[in-house]
């Protein structure tokens, strides 16, 4: 081939190349327009579970001492599934996907969780970090301190088993064993548990704690001490922020001699109020009384208390306890937190009381500790052995928890049943007084419209020898050992009837009534209300009301004659005040 033919050949080759290129281009267009076959199977992408070594100042091996480990020193850093781990030195076991970390061990997971310790072993397959010595787990504002902690990254739970302390919002929790879940933000503490803050201390066996709401749930025998109050519970919730407690399973609250027990108890420390439901027993060990009901509440700040739903008050200050039932009891405290404090107890409706030696019924009752007076309203009746006392209002005054005197106001009637159960000694008057010494009556006074039926007794056989009927304006009876010793009256009209010649209409006074069927027979009977039979209730007596004071009407000289007449009417009190003013106040 000559040199002259070379360009021809090259030119001809260029033609051939252009044709081939055009053919390939056409084929590419056809291939691009042809539908491709879909792949029938595809391997799933496997999650990368490897622990990565990010940095170490020095890396070396020691096939004699630890042939399976890479020995790392200086600013060691690992990364594993969103967590970063740092330490001073480490043994990296690449085959088992784990490492041991030494010195200033730190683990960071996101921006809310960090773990610090002196030593740690990390298993990448199990995602378990086992930290030891001076361990601190920080999660948001909560810090867990311990010497041994296993943190499970799969379940976001740290377990400690050689004693631990959790500090959260001013609360410090300690126990021998426990766990903390960073996802639910809840902790469980077991064995020798103690929760402490500035206002309270909780001790127990098992405690569940929610760091979001600062709510503690005590399980098993537990005590909560706050100031002078103590709460014992085996199933209770306590909110340390709100200072509120919900207690179940017959929990007990005590404070300076007072104790409240119930199926469920709710306590608000800030408001100072407590409510109890179901078989509630409120006991005042200082004053020796109890308040029982299916619902009770108490306010520490005001001293107000209430009990209802099968409510019962018990006074055990004496040898024999007094039991009293009413639909509702209310206690009001006056001058609280002072030396002059006193209380009023209101009981209503359908009040029934029982003690071995005295029983009573009425519609409502008020007890005032200021003068130790118990006032009974609306058809009150009091029984003492074989004696019955009734009236419109009965006031009973106590001294050293023992009856001192009694005052019966309006339609007063005293009835004593004789030993033969047929004859009755009776006294009726507008009002009566009875005076007691060591619980025994020694004097009885009757005033205004006094009517008396009295049966003398034959000392030989204790039978009635006749009937004495008396009418007088006032009478005093003196007794000794419950027997009549002397009677005093200013003026009396009396008639003596032999036992065989008593007129039928003289056997009973016009107001006589014997309500033995109403009387409580034991402490359980106080819950069984039995009212008086129809027609035996006390009659309503309308009494004169005090005259209303007439006020001067404005108008001066233009007042009419009727207004002038009303203006001239002056009460005795006003007249006395005018005389005092006219005399210069002397």
């Amino acid at each position: 081939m000559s040199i002259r033919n070379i360009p021809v050949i090259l030119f001809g080759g260029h033609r051939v190349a252009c044709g081939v290129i055009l053919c390939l281009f056409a084929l590419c267009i056809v291939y691009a327009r042809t539908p491709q076959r879909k792949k029938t199977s595809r391997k799933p992408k496997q999650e990368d579970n490897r622990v990565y070594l990010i940095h170490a100042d020095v890396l070396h091996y020691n096939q004699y001492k630890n042939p399976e480990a890479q020995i790392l020193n200086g600013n060691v850093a690992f990364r594993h599934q969103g967590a970063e781990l740092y330490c001073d030195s480490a043994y990296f076991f690449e085959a088992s996907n784990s490492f041991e970390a030494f010195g200033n061990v730190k683990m960071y997971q996101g921006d809310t969780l960090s773990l610090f310790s002196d030593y740690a072993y990390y298993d990448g397959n199990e995602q378990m970090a086992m930290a030891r010595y001076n361990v601190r787990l920080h999660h948001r504002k909560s810090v867990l301190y311990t010497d041994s902690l296993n943190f499970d990254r799969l379940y976001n739970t740290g377990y400690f088993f050689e004693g631990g302390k959790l500090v959260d919002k001013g609360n410090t929790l300690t126990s021998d064993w426990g766990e903390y879940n960073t996802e639910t933000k809840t902790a469980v503490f077991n064995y020798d548990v103690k929760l402490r803050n500035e206002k309270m201390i909780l001790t127990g066996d098992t405690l569940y704690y929610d760091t979001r709401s600062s709510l503690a749930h005590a399980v098993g025998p537990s005590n909560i001490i706050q100031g002078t109050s103590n709460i014992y519970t085996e199933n209770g919730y306590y909110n340390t922020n709100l200072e509120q407690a919900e207690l179940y399973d017959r929990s007990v609250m005590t404070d300076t001699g007072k104790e409240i027990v119930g199926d469920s108890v709710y306590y608000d420390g800030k408001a100072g109020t407590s409510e109890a439901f179901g078989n509630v027993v409120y006991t005042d060990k200082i004053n020796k009384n109890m308040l029982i009901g299916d619902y009770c509440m108490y306010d520490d700040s005001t001293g107000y208390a209430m009990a209802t739903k099968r409510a019962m008050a018990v006074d055990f200050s004496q040898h024999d306890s007094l039991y009293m039932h009413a639909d509702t009891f209310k206690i009001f405290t006056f001058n609280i937190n002072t030396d002059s404090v006193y209380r009023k107890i209101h009981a209503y409706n359908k009040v029934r009381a029982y003690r071995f030696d005295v029983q009573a019924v009425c519609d409502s009752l008020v007890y005032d500790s200021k003068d130790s007076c118990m006032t009974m309203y609306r058809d009150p009746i009091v029984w003492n052995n074989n004696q019955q006392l009734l009236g419109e209002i009965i006031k009973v005054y106590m001294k050293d928890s023992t009856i001192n005197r009694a005052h019966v106001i309006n339609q007063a009637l005293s009835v004593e049943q004789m030993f033969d159960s047929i004859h009755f000694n009776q006294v009726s008057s507008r009002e009566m007084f009875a005076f007691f010494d060591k619980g025994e009556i020694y004097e009885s006074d009757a005033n205004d419209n006094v009517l008396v039926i009295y049966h003398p007794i034959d000392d030989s056989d204790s039978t009635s020898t006749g009937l004495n009927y008396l009418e007088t304006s006032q009478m005093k009876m003196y007794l000794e050992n419950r027997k009549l010793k002397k009677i005093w009256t200013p003026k009396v009209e009396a008639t003596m009837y032999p036992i065989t010649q008593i007129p039928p209409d003289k056997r009973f006074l016009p107001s006589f009534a014997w309500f033995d069927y109403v009387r409580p027979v034991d402490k359980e009977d106080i819950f069984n209300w039995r009212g008086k039979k129809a027609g035996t209730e006390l009659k309503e007596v309308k009494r004169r009301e005090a005259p209303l004071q007439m006020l001067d009407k404005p108008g001066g000289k233009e007042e009419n004659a009727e207004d002038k007449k009303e203006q001239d009417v002056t009460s005795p009190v006003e007249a006395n005040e005018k005389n005092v003013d006219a005399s210069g106040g002397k």
Side-chain angles (χ1 to χ4, degrees):
M1 183 180 293
S2 63
I3 297 176
R4 294 180 180 177
N5 293 333
I6 291 176
V8 177
I9 294 173
L10 292 175
F11 183 76
H14 179 69
R15 290 179 180 175
V16 173
C18 289
V20 173
I21 291 172
L22 289 173
C23 290
L24 291 172
F25 181 73
L27 289 172
C28 288
I29 294 174
V30 173
Y31 181 79
R33 292 180 177 179
T34 302
Q36 301 298 307
R37 294 180 62 188
K38 296 183 179 179
K39 295 181 179 180
T40 57
S41 63
R42 185 177 181 181
K43 292 183 179 181
K45 184 179 179 179
Q46 294 184 354
E47 184 179 4
D48 189 358
N49 195 36
R50 289 177 296 175
V51 175
Y52 287 92
L53 172 63
I54 305 302
H55 180 271
D57 292 346
V58 178
L59 185 153
H60 61 94
Y61 290 91
N62 188 332
Q63 61 179 351
Y64 298 104
K65 185 176 181 180
N66 200 343
E68 297 179 356
Q70 302 177 35
I71 303 174
L72 312 172
N73 294 100
N75 299 313
V76 181
F78 294 95
R79 184 176 68 243
H80 183 244
Q81 293 194 345
E84 297 178 354
L85 301 100
Y86 304 91
C87 61
D88 292 341
S89 60
Y91 290 153
F92 181 30
F93 305 95
E94 191 172 4
S96 62
N97 202 35
S98 62
F99 64 85
E100 283 186 87
F102 306 91
N104 297 313
V105 181
K106 305 172 186 176
M107 185 184 78
Y108 298 98
Q109 183 173 303
D111 57 356
T112 61
L113 179 65
S114 55
L115 177 64
F116 305 91
S117 66
D118 294 340
Y119 166 85
Y121 173 78
Y122 185 79
D123 187 335
N125 296 327
E126 299 293 334
Q127 295 193 40
M128 176 71 75
M130 290 175 279
R132 300 293 184 269
Y133 315 123
N134 300 315
V135 181
R136 290 178 291 127
L137 177 65
H138 292 253
H139 182 242
R140 298 186 184 275
K141 296 182 179 180
S142 303
V143 183
L144 176 63
Y145 300 88
T146 183
D147 266 352
S148 300
L149 178 73
N150 292 349
F151 186 77
D152 190 338
R153 295 187 61 220
L154 286 174
Y155 296 97
N156 296 309
T157 302
Y159 305 89
F160 65 90
F161 40 83
E162 292 184 2
K165 177 176 70 174
L166 176 66
V167 179
D168 174 70
K169 301 174 186 176
N171 296 316
T172 302
L173 296 90
T174 59
S175 71
D176 293 343
W177 180 92
E179 62 183 71
Y180 177 69
N181 188 291
T182 59
E183 185 174 354
T184 62
K185 303 177 182 64
T186 58
V188 182
F189 292 80
N190 298 93
Y191 312 120
D192 196 18
V193 179
K194 180 176 288 188
L195 168 61
R196 180 193 298 268
N197 59 31
E198 293 181 353
K199 297 183 178 180
M200 55 80 66
I201 299 176
L202 186 154
T203 58
D205 181 69
T206 301
L207 182 72
Y208 296 83
Y209 181 77
D210 190 331
T211 60
R212 294 169 298 181
S213 60
S214 299
L215 180 66
H217 179 198
V219 179
S222 306
N223 286 282
I224 304 173
I225 301 174
Q226 183 172 356
T228 59
S229 66
N230 180 82
I231 298 174
Y232 173 83
T233 182
E234 296 183 4
N235 182 15
Y237 296 84
Y238 187 83
N239 190 306
T240 58
N241 282 343
L242 302 177
E243 299 179 32
Q244 295 177 345
E246 296 182 14
L247 313 172
Y248 303 96
D249 301 339
R250 305 298 294 171
S251 299
V252 182
M253 289 180 56
T254 58
D255 188 359
T256 59
K258 300 178 179 64
E259 179 181 281
I260 185 168
V261 185
D263 292 344
S264 57
V265 180
Y266 299 87
Y267 174 72
D268 189 328
K270 291 184 177 180
T273 59
S274 56
E275 290 184 284
F277 300 83
N279 301 313
V280 184
V281 180
Y282 172 80
T283 306
D284 186 343
K285 296 182 180 179
I286 298 175
N287 297 307
K288 297 184 178 180
N289 55 61
M290 290 193 303
L291 200 57
I292 301 172
D294 283 335
Y295 172 79
C296 291
M297 70 86 59
Y298 180 72
D299 190 328
D300 290 331
S301 59
T302 63
Y304 171 75
M306 184 186 72
T308 188
K309 297 183 178 180
R310 199 170 174 81
M312 179 173 67
V314 182
D315 181 275
F316 52 89
S317 60
Q318 297 299 302
H319 178 69
D320 295 313
S321 297
L322 173 66
Y323 302 87
M324 183 185 301
H325 165 69
D327 292 341
T328 302
F329 288 95
K330 290 185 178 181
I331 301 176
F332 302 88
T333 304
F334 302 88
N335 303 330
I336 193 170
N337 299 325
T338 68
D339 294 336
S340 57
V341 61
Y342 68 96
R343 292 175 175 84
K344 285 187 178 181
I345 301 175
H346 292 205
Y348 61 93
N349 300 301
K350 299 179 179 179
V351 180
R352 290 172 63 82
Y354 175 85
R355 193 170 72 180
F356 176 76
D357 58 340
V358 63
Q359 301 83 42
V361 298
C362 63
D363 180 74
S364 54
L365 174 150
V366 175
Y367 175 76
D368 190 341
S369 67
K370 190 175 185 179
D371 55 4
S372 299
C373 177
M374 182 173 64
T375 306
M376 305 170 64
Y377 298 95
R378 294 191 60 183
D379 280 336
I381 310 173
V382 178
W383 294 269
N384 175 240
N385 295 324
N386 61 333
Q387 294 180 327
Q388 172 190 279
L389 191 65
L390 60 87
E392 292 183 14
I393 298 175
I394 299 178
K395 291 179 175 285
V396 179
Y397 294 86
M398 313 295 290
K399 184 177 181 181
D400 298 330
S401 301
T402 305
I403 185 170
N404 179 256
R405 68 185 190 277
H407 181 195
V408 185
I409 304 172
N410 297 325
Q411 302 191 60
L413 174 66
S414 175
V415 178
E416 179 187 14
Q417 187 178 40
M418 304 294 292
F419 295 107
D420 57 11
S421 301
I422 300 175
H423 301 95
F424 297 87
N425 292 331
Q426 308 156 51
V427 180
S428 69
S429 62
R430 187 180 63 83
E431 66 175 350
M432 289 184 185
F433 296 89
F435 302 92
F436 298 81
D437 181 26
K438 297 180 181 180
E440 296 289 338
I441 185 170
Y442 68 89
E443 181 181 340
S444 177
D445 298 350
N447 298 324
D448 199 2
N449 298 326
V450 181
L451 302 179
V452 180
I453 290 179
Y454 175 71
H455 294 269
I457 298 296
D458 188 346
D459 294 334
S460 61
D461 56 5
S462 298
T463 58
S464 174
T465 60
L467 183 148
N468 284 332
Y469 178 80
L470 292 80
E471 293 184 6
T472 184
S473 60
Q474 184 181 7
M475 182 180 68
K476 293 180 180 290
M477 293 188 295
Y478 300 92
L479 299 93
E480 186 175 339
N481 296 327
R482 291 185 173 271
K483 293 182 178 180
L484 183 61
K485 184 178 180 180
K486 183 173 63 175
I487 295 179
W488 176 89
T489 60
K491 184 180 179 180
V492 63
E493 294 182 4
T495 304
M496 173 64 182
Y497 297 97
I499 190 66
T500 58
Q501 300 179 17
I502 302 175
D505 59 344
K506 294 297 182 180
R507 292 183 179 273
F508 303 102
L509 296 178
S511 61
F512 171 82
W514 183 246
F515 295 109
D516 196 49
Y517 60 90
V518 176
R519 186 177 189 173
V521 296
D522 54 39
K523 66 179 182 179
E524 299 298 332
D525 192 38
I526 62 177
F527 295 99
N528 303 317
W529 176 257
R530 295 186 294 275
K532 294 180 179 179
K533 295 179 181 179
T536 60
E537 302 89 350
L538 289 179
K539 298 179 181 179
E540 184 178 355
V541 178
K542 293 184 179 180
R543 295 177 174 84
R544 295 177 58 186
E545 298 180 354
L548 297 176
Q549 183 178 358
M550 308 305 296
L551 301 177
D552 294 342
K553 294 184 179 180
K557 296 180 180 180
E558 296 181 0
E559 293 173 344
N560 56 37
E562 190 65 28
D563 292 338
K564 181 64 175 175
K565 185 182 298 183
E566 292 179 359
Q567 199 173 28
D568 289 339
V569 178
T570 305
S571 68
V573 175
E574 289 175 321
N576 184 54
E577 290 177 350
K578 289 181 179 180
N579 292 334
V580 171
D581 293 340
S583 62
K586 297 181 180 179

